[in-house]
Amino acid sequence: MDLSHRGVVAVTGDDRLSWLHLLLTQHVSDLPTGVATEALILSAHGHIEHALYLVDDGTTVWMHTEPGTQEALIAYLESMKFFYRVEVTDRTSEFAVVYVPAGSIAEVPTGAVVRETPYGRDLFLPREDLESYAEKSGPRPASWPTRRCASSTTVPASASRPTTARSRTSWAGSARRSISRRAATAARRRSPASRTWASPRAASSSSTSTAARSISRATARS
């Protein structure tokens, strides 16, 4: 995948890892050579300023970041150098980033810096080799959004509905019957005839009338 639009920044110098460790959210002071990592640079309020994808090749920390943000990133890093022995360089015009998915048999060209991850490789490739590498690697792969959609297991809402005329009719009939049953149930609940309860006053009045009738019958017999 062609990621040549992303910014590429390199940090060299003996203090590069210990210095970056003070500025990033990731523990990089003991980052082994060739091990990929990711890190953020946060503002004083904790907001994300830069998202970085790094690897150290033994002499240089290579990182790529969002397109067009490398100048702001470099300005921030330069302002934080102080007495540390580091050099920060914009290498975007010299190197392009290419993503190779895991399992690919594409060869890594000479001169490329490799950032190996469980999901694939990020290659920091000299820009003059970008076109020839693309020709050797075969057709250009699908873009990331397309591959995400192709591999997604999410089923669109329309896919869960019936597609044939017969199934559409059956589905609509079931829906109408369900709605009718719910409407009938609601109507019965609202009907006064369906209410079997009586207020306390009505119950007391009924009991008094019954008692009076019983007394009247008893008096008549006597």
Side-chain angles (χ1 to χ4, degrees):
M1 182 190 300
D2 183 3
L3 299 178
S4 58
H5 60 294
R6 292 182 63 81
V8 177
V9 176
V11 179
T12 58
D14 294 340
D15 297 334
R16 64 188 183 281
L17 291 178
S18 58
W19 175 66
L20 287 172
H21 180 76
L22 301 175
L23 306 177
L24 307 182
T25 57
Q26 186 63 272
H27 191 292
V28 298
S29 60
D30 300 316
L31 184 66
T33 300
V35 174
T37 191
E38 302 172 4
L40 302 174
I41 291 179
L42 305 179
S43 70
H45 301 287
H47 299 153
I48 297 175
E49 297 288 342
H50 300 281
L52 311 176
Y53 301 83
L54 307 89
V55 68
D56 184 78
D57 66 0
T59 59
T60 304
V61 173
W62 295 85
M63 61 185 78
H64 63 85
T65 187
E66 294 298 319
T69 64
Q70 64 271 17
E71 292 183 2
L73 171 62
I74 291 173
Y76 170 75
L77 294 177
E78 287 287 347
S79 70
M80 302 300 290
K81 284 174 63 173
F82 302 112
F83 55 86
Y84 288 93
R85 297 169 295 174
V86 293
E87 292 295 332
V88 183
T89 310
D90 185 353
R91 308 297 296 271
T92 307
S93 61
E94 305 168 61
F95 285 83
V97 180
V98 176
Y99 171 75
V100 181
S104 173
I105 60 174
E107 296 182 359
V108 177
T110 303
V113 178
V114 180
R115 180 178 177 273
E116 191 85 35
T117 74
Y119 316 104
R121 296 171 175 171
D122 289 343
L123 305 182
F124 294 85
L125 189 67
R127 285 194 177 269
E128 60 267 22
D129 299 336
L130 184 60
E131 186 173 349
S132 60
Y133 177 76
E135 293 175 353
K136 293 178 182 179
S137 301
R140 179 177 295 182
S143 63
W144 173 239
T146 303
R147 297 193 308 163
R148 284 287 300 272
C149 292
S151 62
S152 175
T153 57
T154 303
V155 179
S158 58
S160 63
R161 297 177 181 173
T163 55
T164 66
R166 182 175 180 180
S167 58
R168 280 198 299 270
T169 303
S170 176
W171 178 81
S174 299
R176 284 195 296 269
R177 288 192 295 272
S178 177
I179 294 172
S180 298
R181 286 195 297 269
R182 293 180 183 177
T185 301
R188 286 196 299 270
R189 290 176 179 173
R190 291 195 300 268
S191 175
S194 64
R195 299 175 183 172
T196 58
W197 54 270
S199 65
R201 178 177 297 178
S204 176
S205 176
S206 177
S207 300
T208 303
S209 299
T210 302
R213 286 195 295 270
S214 299
I215 294 171
S216 297
R217 285 196 294 268
T219 303
R221 291 194 191 97
S222 60

